[in-house]
């Protein structure tokens, strides 16, 4: 059974519709036990532009068969080179250029075939499902090949880093973390402890662990990063403050509020010493410390810090900036924790009124502030 047999039957006055073709195709797949698909190139492969190919992949998926795809070695090399040479913010453009066509945009030689196949898709999960099958099949194949080749090229850190970044952008964080681990294993044996590329890899791995909720592992890596920063940077360096802040946030996620606050106090000190008085990073650092104090039950200190944040926001931001009502709201919450009901109600109302001026009617943040005022 193939497309040409369908045409032979049509020429002889007979007819084989798409459902009959699917049945015959699935029977042969079951007998053979495998499905092979050949891609001619990685950029907009012809395979994905033909509606019969979409149909065959959908039939394979319906029968529980995992198609095996093949790409010419030169094309695979071309894809890897394109990924290696791309700027990080252009990686998805490279990735998107393989261009899987939607079933409704794919071509057939005969209009009747197109009508029959699209009707068959409609009966078996619809076009959304059919498009997902071919997109996922081609993408997963290319990702497996890219990952395998990149991991095999252990010393080609530029390729590995871009492939890892691609997996991160595609939301495949477990694979991204695994690749970060491999990159670090190679770099630790080849680079000095304070090499900037090694430190960037530590940051990448720790951040990915955090995204995955693997906070204990993230803390261990952030601790290593902070140790390297302390040994190589002056005490007021912004990269040291950043490392302290990220470790502090990770400790907070772990419920280690005392350790988190210690890190965050250092950040506040560095920011105040090294930045101009109106720099917004000072207020952000104080707000992070205030939040940790509130979570640990240190409500008096939290209220004092949130009041400082509010004053800084008012001094340095336009009057309609959304960070001002946020600071008002945070101060109101801290005041309510201390049973300072009048102060809390006043700040909740201030936050509500300012949010009404700058947010769309009915926005949840307006309701949140209004409910806070009512609760006082």
């Amino acid at each position: 059974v193939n497309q040409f047999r369908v045409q032979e039957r049509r020429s002889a006055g007979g007819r084989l519709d798409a459902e009959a073709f699917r049945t015959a195709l699935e029977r042969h797949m079951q007998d053979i036990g495998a499905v092979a698909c050949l891609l001619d190139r990685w950029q907009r492969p012809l395979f994905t532009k033909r509606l019969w190919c979409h149909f065959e992949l959908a039939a394979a998926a319906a029968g529980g068969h995992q198609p095996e795809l093949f790409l010419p070695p030169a094309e695979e090399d071309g894809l890897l080179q394109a990924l290696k040479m791309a700027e990080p913010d252009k990686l998805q453009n490279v990735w998107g250029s393989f261009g899987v066509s939607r079933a409704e945009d794919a071509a057939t030689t005969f209009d009747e075939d197109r009508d029959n196949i699209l009707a068959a898709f409609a009966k078996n999960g619809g076009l959304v499902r059919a498009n997902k099958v071919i997109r996922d099949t081609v993408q997963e194949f290319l990702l497996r090949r890219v990952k395998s080749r990149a991991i095999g090229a252990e010393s080609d850190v530029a390729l590995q880093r871009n492939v890892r970044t691609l997996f991160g952008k595609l939301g495949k964080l477990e694979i991204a973390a695994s690749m970060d681990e491999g990159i670090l294993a190679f770099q630790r044996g080849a680079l000095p402890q304070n090499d900037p590329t090694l430190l960037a890899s530590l940051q990448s791995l720790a951040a990915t662990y955090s995204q995955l909720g693997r906070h204990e592992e993230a803390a261990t890596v952030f601790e290593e990063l902070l140790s390297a920063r302390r040994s190589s940077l002056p005490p007021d360096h912004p990269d040291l403050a950043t490392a302290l802040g990220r470790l502090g946030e990770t400790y907070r996620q772990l419920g280690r509020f005392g350790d988190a606050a210690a890190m965050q106090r250092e950040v506040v000190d560095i920011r105040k010493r090294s930045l101009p008085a109106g720099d917004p990073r000072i207020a952000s650092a104080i707000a992070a410390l205030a939040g940790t104090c509130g979570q640990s039950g240190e409500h008096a200190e939290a209220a004092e810090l949130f009041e400082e944040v509010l004053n800084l926001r008012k001094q340095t931001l336009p009057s309609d900036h959304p960070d001002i009502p946020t600071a008002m709201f945070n101060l109101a919450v801290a005041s309510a924790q201390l049973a300072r009901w009048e102060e809390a109600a006043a700040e909740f109302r201030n936050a509500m009124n300012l949010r009404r001026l700058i947010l769309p009617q009915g926005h949840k943040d307006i309701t949140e502030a209004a409910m806070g005022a009512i609760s006082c």
Side-chain angles (χ1 to χ4, degrees):
V1 61
N2 58 45
Q3 299 160 46
F4 300 103
R5 297 285 176 83
V6 174
Q7 302 311 323
E8 287 175 7
R9 180 169 296 195
R10 179 182 288 124
S11 299
R15 186 173 183 274
L16 180 64
D17 66 20
E19 282 300 323
F21 186 87
R22 178 192 291 275
T23 301
L25 188 63
E26 289 179 352
R27 184 176 68 250
H28 284 289
M29 288 177 180
Q30 191 64 42
D31 292 341
I32 297 169
V35 179
C37 305
L38 305 179
L39 303 180
D40 59 328
R41 54 186 179 266
W42 69 270
Q43 289 180 303
R44 297 174 177 80
L46 182 62
F47 176 88
T48 72
K49 298 180 181 180
R50 302 300 300 175
L51 188 54
W52 278 108
C53 296
H54 286 247
F55 184 78
E56 289 157 3
L57 272 186
H65 303 286
Q66 178 60 48
E68 183 68 25
L69 275 67
F70 297 90
L71 183 67
E75 286 294 318
E76 196 171 284
D77 291 343
L79 171 58
L80 289 166
Q81 185 66 14
L83 290 172
K84 177 180 177 177
M85 300 306 295
E87 294 295 326
D89 62 345
K90 304 295 185 185
L91 280 171
Q92 284 179 296
N93 294 343
V94 174
W95 184 244
S97 69
F98 74 83
V100 171
S101 300
R102 299 181 305 166
E104 54 267 42
D105 299 327
T108 58
T109 303
F110 298 95
D111 290 342
E112 183 182 356
D113 291 347
R114 176 182 177 78
D115 294 341
N116 285 337
I117 293 172
L118 293 179
F121 283 154
K123 293 178 184 176
N124 293 276
L127 284 172
V128 172
R129 181 178 181 279
N131 286 329
K132 186 176 188 304
V133 166
I134 191 165
R135 183 182 66 249
D136 290 355
T137 299
V138 177
Q139 282 191 354
E140 290 302 322
F141 161 72
L142 290 174
L143 287 172
R144 284 197 306 273
R145 292 304 305 146
V146 164
K147 178 188 174 187
S148 176
R149 289 285 301 275
I151 290 175
E154 184 182 65
S155 61
D156 195 341
V157 175
L159 172 61
Q160 289 201 339
R161 172 58 57 201
N162 268 9
V163 170
R164 176 258 169 261
T165 301
L166 174 64
F167 277 105
K169 288 179 178 294
L170 294 174
K172 298 180 181 294
L173 297 180
E174 289 288 357
I175 297 175
S178 174
M179 294 199 69
D180 274 333
E181 291 164 352
I183 292 168
L184 266 175
F186 173 79
Q187 289 179 326
R188 282 189 171 119
L191 298 174
Q193 179 186 12
N194 294 323
D195 185 272
T197 57
L198 174 59
L199 299 183
S201 295
L202 286 169
Q203 167 58 38
S204 177
L205 177 58
T208 306
Y209 282 156
S210 294
Q211 286 180 278
L212 289 166
R214 294 162 61 177
H215 298 299
E216 289 284 1
E217 293 165 279
T220 299
V221 180
F222 275 133
E223 286 165 353
E224 181 180 352
L225 178 61
L226 176 59
S227 176
R229 293 298 193 197
R230 283 195 192 279
S231 68
S232 61
L233 296 175
D236 288 349
H237 197 284
D239 287 349
L240 176 59
T242 299
L244 285 161
R246 286 170 173 159
L247 180 56
E249 172 59 21
T250 304
Y251 284 155
R252 189 190 66 78
Q253 292 283 351
L254 290 168
R256 295 169 57 178
F257 299 121
D259 292 331
M263 298 291 105
Q264 291 164 339
R265 289 184 204 283
E266 279 198 70
V267 176
V268 171
D269 288 343
I270 292 173
R271 297 300 194 204
K272 285 183 173 180
R273 290 198 308 268
S274 62
L275 296 174
D279 193 292
R281 286 172 289 181
I282 297 174
S284 295
I286 298 169
L289 174 59
T292 299
C293 290
Q295 283 188 279
S296 63
E298 301 292 334
H299 300 301
E301 184 176 6
E304 182 180 335
L305 291 166
F306 277 131
E307 186 170 8
E308 184 178 359
V309 172
L310 177 56
N311 290 333
L312 287 170
R313 296 300 194 201
K314 286 179 175 179
Q315 292 166 15
T316 59
L317 296 175
S319 59
D320 59 351
H321 194 286
D323 284 353
I324 294 177
T326 296
M328 292 172 173
F329 184 87
N330 289 336
L331 176 57
V333 171
S335 298
Q337 293 286 351
L338 293 167
R340 298 175 182 170
W341 305 116
E342 290 186 8
E343 296 173 41
E347 290 300 341
F348 277 130
R349 284 193 295 270
N350 289 338
M352 176 186 67
N353 291 333
L354 189 48
R355 283 173 171 174
R356 280 177 172 166
L357 293 175
I358 62 179
L359 294 175
Q361 185 176 1
H363 194 284
K364 64 180 180 61
D365 288 353
I366 299 174
T367 303
E368 181 184 50
M371 294 302 295
I374 292 170
S375 69
C376 293

